Amino acid sequence: MENIQHSYVQVKGLKLHIAEIGSGQKAVLFLHGFPEIWYTWRHQMIDVANAGYRAIAFDFRGYGLSEHPVEPEKANLLDLVDEVLGLLDSLSISRAFLVGKDFGAIPAYIVAALHPERVTSVITLGVPFTLPGPSVIQDLPEDSYVKRWQKPGRAEADFGRFDVKSVIRNIYILFSGSEIPVAGENQEIMDLFNPSTPLPPWFSEEDLATYASLYEKSGFRFALQVPYRSLGVESGISDPKVTIPALLIMGEKDYVLKSFGMEDYIRSGAVKHFVPELEIIFIPEGSHFVHEQFPDKVNQLIVEFLHKQSI
């Protein structure tokens, strides 16, 4: 970890925090999800760099050490598409591999679909090709965390009862389960957490402290807007195709697989309408955080896929 270098770059008028390691000619850009920041890729960055690539992870705008936009409530997921392209430009990278986790998969795939000349291949974890829009959330329970957090003020009041470290702990443990978090009639999402539940064995108190220190700086204002409050906003993109090679790594114990209509979408092959060259690998015991849970396995899959595209 001590060899990971940190810096800031200006992208679209905002100062973004980036972490990188490795000096290879080919760049791999990692895009985090929620409740994560660049640090979620700590295991992958080191192995990818050791395999001969330049590994770069960054905090999206409004997350971690990156600056917030002036009006966060006007932001949406398509802003992150421009941000990825702007970051590649700022780093003078003409073409990169994109690796996206959770909502980070959405801009990764959209960049690949709209700007294939900038992307060698795409790897996503936990989320396949998905466009924002009402259809993404229409079948979710009304009291699921997604729909609860879409309501302005509700999550803020829920989270505000706890310190930031406790909020991250609660969400991390809830999201590590195999069922989508759904609150009862007189509950909030944070009430679903059982204080006696320990952190997963692959996520240490030190890891939690790192996440918490960065969310203490950024807060949750932008994170609630992007992805949650902008997830149902139409993208305006019609019948996109990702024509480059792609890999989806999916934990079979990931709650996302059992919600959002994902399992049928993936297993039926319907996702390949949008990503014809998609390879799908399931990890039987994998959770929503499969890359932290089984880093050696995931790193092997990522590096092997990168090497295949580099021949």
Side-chain angles (χ1 to χ4, degrees):
M1 291 289 290
E2 63 274 7
N3 293 325
I4 295 176
Q5 303 298 310
H6 297 265
S7 60
Y8 292 87
V9 294
Q10 285 289 134
V11 177
K12 304 293 182 182
L14 296 174
K15 187 169 70 173
L16 301 185
H17 166 249
I18 68 168
E20 65 177 302
I21 184 171
S23 55
Q25 293 296 309
K26 295 176 179 178
V28 182
L29 182 62
F30 293 90
L31 313 180
H32 67 78
F34 178 82
E36 298 155 324
I37 27 76
W38 78 268
Y39 183 81
T40 195
W41 298 112
R42 59 199 179 280
H43 305 300
Q44 286 68 48
M45 291 178 71
I46 292 169
D47 274 19
V48 164
N50 288 340
Y53 298 87
R54 180 185 178 188
I56 305 162
F58 74 107
D59 295 334
F60 279 124
R61 60 178 63 193
Y63 281 83
L65 298 175
S66 291
E67 286 185 334
H68 280 255
V70 176
E71 297 179 290
E73 286 73 25
K74 292 186 177 180
N76 62 55
L77 282 155
L78 293 182
D79 293 332
L80 304 186
V81 174
D82 292 336
E83 184 157 283
V84 170
L85 292 167
L87 180 59
L88 293 177
D89 290 341
S90 293
L91 297 175
S92 300
I93 297 170
S94 60
R95 203 170 188 208
F97 298 92
L98 298 183
V99 184
K101 153 77 171 49
D102 187 63
F103 81 82
I106 296 175
Y109 269 126
I110 295 176
V111 171
L114 300 183
H115 304 277
E117 74 284 356
R118 304 300 303 272
V119 185
T120 305
S121 63
V122 181
I123 301 171
T124 66
L125 292 81
V127 172
F129 179 91
T130 304
L131 286 180
S135 63
V136 176
I137 55 174
Q138 66 184 8
D139 295 328
L140 292 178
E142 281 302 315
D143 292 314
S144 66
Y145 77 95
V146 175
K147 291 203 172 179
R148 285 287 186 94
W149 292 353
Q150 285 187 325
K151 299 170 183 173
R154 186 148 195 178
E156 289 86 340
D158 188 12
F159 294 178
R161 298 177 294 155
F162 305 90
D163 60 37
V164 169
K165 188 174 182 180
S166 295
V167 172
I168 297 296
R169 179 193 294 270
N170 295 0
I171 295 173
Y172 220 89
I173 290 173
L174 289 173
F175 281 15
S176 295
S178 57
E179 300 292 333
I180 186 171
V182 178
E185 187 175 343
N186 297 312
Q187 282 184 314
E188 296 299 330
I189 297 299
M190 290 295 100
D191 296 327
L192 297 173
F193 173 70
N194 183 342
S196 66
T197 305
L199 285 170
W202 35 266
F203 192 73
S204 69
E205 287 289 344
E206 182 182 357
D207 294 332
L208 175 63
T210 300
Y211 275 70
S213 67
L214 293 173
Y215 274 94
E216 282 167 358
K217 179 189 180 300
S218 67
F220 297 99
R221 184 180 176 187
F222 188 84
L224 288 167
Q225 176 64 23
V226 178
Y228 299 104
R229 292 172 186 163
S230 59
L231 193 57
V233 177
E234 284 286 4
S235 67
I237 302 169
S238 58
D239 197 25
K241 283 283 193 300
V242 175
T243 56
I244 59 176
L247 172 66
L248 170 64
I249 300 171
M250 195 84 205
E252 292 198 272
K253 298 292 179 66
D254 186 337
Y255 74 89
V256 172
L257 185 63
K258 305 296 183 184
S259 49
F260 301 91
M262 287 296 181
E263 185 156 30
D264 181 62
Y265 176 58
I266 295 168
R267 293 192 190 276
S268 71
V271 64
K272 293 188 177 183
H273 169 78
F274 302 103
V275 192
E277 291 192 57
L278 178 65
E279 180 182 351
I280 302 168
I281 296 176
F282 289 98
I283 297 181
E285 296 302 314
S287 72
H288 191 57
F289 303 102
V290 67
H291 63 304
E292 293 178 289
Q293 183 184 9
F294 299 117
D296 292 343
K297 175 64 174 174
V298 170
N299 293 354
Q300 179 187 357
L301 292 171
I302 289 175
V303 169
E304 286 177 353
F305 188 77
L306 295 177
H307 282 346
K308 279 196 298 185
Q309 313 313 316
S310 300
I311 296 173

